[in-house]
Amino acid sequence: LRTFACHLMRCMRCPVAYHTGDNCVAAGSVVITPHIIICSNHSSSKKNGHLTSPVNVGWCFICARGGRLLCCESCPASFHPECLNIEMPEGTWCCSECRAGRKPHYKQIVWVKLGSYRWWPAEICNPRLVPFNIQTLKHDIGEFPVFFFGSHDYYWIGRGRVFPYVESDRNFAEGQMGINKTFKKALEEAARRFQELKAQRESREALEQERNSRRPPPYKFIKSNKPVGKVQVHVADLSEIPRCSCKPTDESPCGRDSQCLNRMLQYECHPQVCPAGDRCHNQHFSQRLFAETEVFKTDRCGWGLRTKQDLKKGDFVMEYVGELIDLEECRLRIKHANENRVTNFYMLTLTKDRVIDAGPKGNFSRFMNHSCSPNCETQKWTVNGDVRIGLFTLCDIEAGTELTFNYNLDCLGNGRTSCHCGAENCSGFLGVQPRVSQSNNQKSARNAKLKPKKRKLKPENRQTHEYFCFCCGEGGELVMCDKKDCPKAYHLLCLNLTKPPFGRWECPWHECSVCQCAAASFCHFCPSSFCREHDRGALVPSALDGRPCCSSHDPQNPLGSQSDLNRATIKVEQPEPSEEPGE
């Protein structure tokens, strides 16, 4: 908001505000100064002393058929009540677009009703860009000039006589009877102008997206933890802070290679308590002795953090700071994020009743990515009586190397987040234990030979799930079936769901595809299944070891595609991040 505050045009009569430019300002607003307007809500709604009402269309905006229609009181929109799944209301009624405050804007193609003429395509023009004689015509607040295609005339019109033109309107209008040459020309010009404005908008959006991709998402930079609500930051009395036995004459008092008791117990020395005084080397948190780092754009994991200097094993990188919230606030934020399909979380547990959320506020540490083979780790230190989290290196790191740590994420519900760290021991998902490397397996095998044989205990059966969707065969964020011994997983989109299912959930593979009863026979290559009543002839043996397949597959080649091949084998490869589909 601070960034765009100076670029807003505010109404002097109400709290309405718009960004400057023809794409945001509501058509019909009166510009007083470059930042002050009278918005179109303040129209007197009178014409020659009489109240004006919108001219509603004679067809439903949803099904395009006539009949008993519900008309909007603010714009030409009309609907069948049954198309909106509502009863015919009593009194005045406005459509959802008008209730949401959406209004026509400049450089928009619309259909206009003028007098007894038919609905005609036109473009809403900025009053400053029309001929002077058109500007001087009498008009009211809320009215705006339109340029009619075909005839190339101008006229001032109100919101109640226009509705938006969409891309398919040309084909719909051409199917009507009695189209003359002028109207046909107007349709061609409107379609051409609509495509020009669409191309300009897409180019502008692409430029804005590229501009946004060059900088991290917005957040507020802070230097220390900020408590929220009832959460408090503990401050110890000087008499309660432990005193180490280091001396100021030591070569590196309280340093990493010293025998400082406070450092061993992960307590930071206090400058007024430590015997070493100003020479103490155990005050990294309070003095913010952070490593020199920079935020950069990674290839597969969004934004990341890398060091600009060489670091040694055990070096302090920086403190993880953010908003200090309690567990109740944490649950509310996670619920809000799930409802808004937010997948990035920046929460770290500080104590049993406090959590650090670096999402809205934090420092550069919030950009450090997860890795199954990290080069940094988190450590909890006590600083001036309160617990704080620091990031420390696990090995020597060269300048220019990305800094990572293991999130140790607890998966919420049935959802899983794909991991793209690229490590050899990558588990494929955040919160899943990394795979043991081959060298470790060989080492454990050698150690096992040296130990005396013990009685083997029958291992406990643990339910494991596949790392790909049973519908499309691709990886990503999946929901897991909770039925015992069922390994299947699915994308929410493949299940036509927008949120992960709540509580215990069984996948559609266990329900008959015909009657939704308990399934008795299953297709090996898709979620199709059948009960005993409907399984006769529904499945046939395939060429792959006689595995049953339904009629959706060729028994000689039931796999059919590479995605099915990935689903039929046990080999798991690191999934690439998918791109969201464009409009």
Side-chain angles (χ1 to χ4, degrees), residues 327-372:
L327 296 181
E328 182 180 359
E329 176 67 18
C330 179
R331 282 190 287 267
L332 290 175
R333 292 191 180 189
I334 293 176
K335 179 182 178 182
H336 182 267
N338 290 332
E339 292 174 351
N340 293 273
R341 299 183 180 181
V342 177
T343 57
N344 293 327
F345 295 91
Y346 302 87
M347 298 178 181
L348 282 182
T349 302
L350 183 63
T351 58
K352 64 178 182 179
D353 55 352
R354 292 186 301 168
V355 176
I356 299 178
D357 184 7
K361 300 178 182 179
N363 59 6
F364 282 176
S365 63
R366 68 191 297 277
F367 293 104
M368 196 176 294
N369 283 318
H370 163 85
S371 176
C372 296

Side-chain angles (χ1 to χ4, degrees), residues 102-144:
R102 298 187 180 93
K103 299 181 180 180
H105 56 81
Y106 300 121
K107 288 187 178 182
Q108 182 179 5
I109 309 300
V110 292
W111 291 97
V112 180
K113 182 66 173 176
L114 183 61
S116 59
Y117 292 98
R118 69 191 308 164
W119 288 95
W120 202 277
E123 179 181 352
I124 301 177
C125 303
N126 192 312
R128 302 190 312 271
L129 304 179
V130 299
F132 181 74
N133 60 325
I134 304 300
Q135 296 181 25
T136 56
L137 291 177
K138 187 176 181 181
H139 57 274
D140 187 22
I141 297 175
E143 294 183 335
F144 42 84

Side-chain angles (χ1 to χ4, degrees), residues 287-306:
Q287 296 183 9
R288 299 193 182 97
L289 301 178
F290 301 162
E292 190 175 358
T293 57
E294 64 177 352
V295 179
F296 75 106
K297 189 67 176 292
T298 66
D299 295 332
R300 296 187 298 174
C301 301
W303 294 93
L305 187 71
R306 61 188 174 195

Side-chain angles (χ1 to χ4, degrees), residues 15-80:
V16 170
Y18 300 99
H19 288 128
T20 57
D22 294 343
N23 298 312
C24 290
V25 178
S29 301
V30 178
V31 178
I32 308 299
T33 69
H35 300 294
I36 301 297
I37 62 172
I38 300 177
C39 72
S40 58
N41 291 332
H42 305 286
S43 172
S44 62
S45 301
K46 292 183 179 181
K47 195 80 171 182
N48 298 327
H50 300 284
L51 290 173
T52 60
S53 59
V55 180
N56 295 95
V57 298
W59 64 88
C60 175
F61 263 31
I62 296 178
C63 67
R65 292 193 293 268
R68 180 170 171 263
L69 297 171
L70 174 61
C71 299
C72 178
E73 296 291 335
S74 301
C75 73
S78 299
F79 303 90
H80 290 127

Side-chain angles (χ1 to χ4, degrees), residues 176-400:
Q176 301 180 14
M177 302 296 292
I179 296 181
N180 56 31
K181 292 182 178 180
T182 307
F183 187 64
K184 185 176 181 180
K185 179 182 177 183
L187 293 177
E188 294 174 352
E189 292 179 355
R192 187 164 54 250
R193 179 60 175 163
F194 183 85
Q195 293 299 328
E196 291 177 1
L197 295 175
K198 180 181 177 182
Q200 292 177 10
R201 183 178 66 254
E202 291 176 350
S203 176
R204 184 170 57 251
E205 291 174 354
L207 182 62
E208 182 67 21
Q209 186 176 4
E210 181 185 358
R211 217 178 269 138
N212 291 336
S213 66
R214 298 175 184 172
R215 57 178 180 267
Y219 74 101
K220 183 176 181 181
F221 184 87
I222 57 176
K223 296 181 179 180
S224 59
N225 291 325
K226 302 298 180 183
V228 175
K230 300 179 181 179
V231 178
Q232 296 181 353
V233 176
H234 306 300
V235 179
D237 188 80
L238 291 180
S239 60
E240 300 174 353
I241 297 177
R243 178 187 178 92
C244 66
S245 57
C246 300
K247 301 178 181 178
T249 56
D250 294 342
E251 182 178 355
S252 180
C254 306
R256 189 175 58 193
D257 299 328
S258 67
Q259 299 298 318
C260 178
L261 184 60
N262 282 353
R263 178 180 283 273
M264 294 179 183
L265 298 176
Q266 294 185 351
Y267 276 85
E268 184 172 281
C269 296
H270 193 282
Q272 299 181 18
V273 177
C274 181
D278 296 338
R279 298 198 65 232
C280 177
H281 289 181
N282 185 25
Q283 299 176 17
H284 292 85
F285 284 86
S286 56
Q287 296 183 9
R288 299 193 182 97
L289 301 178
F290 301 162
E292 190 175 358
T293 57
E294 64 177 352
V295 179
F296 75 106
K297 189 67 176 292
T298 66
D299 295 332
R300 296 187 298 174
C301 301
W303 294 93
L305 187 71
R306 61 188 174 195
T307 176
K308 297 176 66 176
Q309 66 182 68
D310 293 337
L311 298 174
K312 295 183 179 180
K313 181 178 179 180
D315 280 351
F316 176 66
V317 179
M318 66 178 57
E319 181 184 2
Y320 194 91
V321 302
E323 290 184 324
L324 280 182
I325 59 177
D326 56 19
L327 296 181
E328 182 180 359
E329 176 67 18
C330 179
R331 282 190 287 267
L332 290 175
R333 292 191 180 189
I334 293 176
K335 179 182 178 182
H336 182 267
N338 290 332
E339 292 174 351
N340 293 273
R341 299 183 180 181
V342 177
T343 57
N344 293 327
F345 295 91
Y346 302 87
M347 298 178 181
L348 282 182
T349 302
L350 183 63
T351 58
K352 64 178 182 179
D353 55 352
R354 292 186 301 168
V355 176
I356 299 178
D357 184 7
K361 300 178 182 179
N363 59 6
F364 282 176
S365 63
R366 68 191 297 277
F367 293 104
M368 196 176 294
N369 283 318
H370 163 85
S371 176
C372 296
S373 180
N375 53 20
C376 296
E377 67 174 355
T378 57
Q379 295 181 9
K380 293 184 179 181
W381 282 61
T382 303
V383 182
N384 199 18
D386 198 13
V387 179
R388 288 154 79 167
I389 295 179
L391 292 157
F392 293 80
T393 59
L394 290 171
C395 57
D396 294 344
I397 305 175
E398 296 182 356

Side-chain angles (χ1 to χ4, degrees), residues 81-112:
E82 51 271 22
C83 290
L84 296 175
N85 294 322
I86 62 173
E87 298 292 335
M88 182 68 77
E90 297 180 358
T92 60
W93 179 84
C94 290
C95 66
S96 59
E97 293 290 312
C98 295
R99 291 197 301 269
R102 298 187 180 93
K103 299 181 180 180
H105 56 81
Y106 300 121
K107 288 187 178 182
Q108 182 179 5
I109 309 300
V110 292
W111 291 97
V112 180

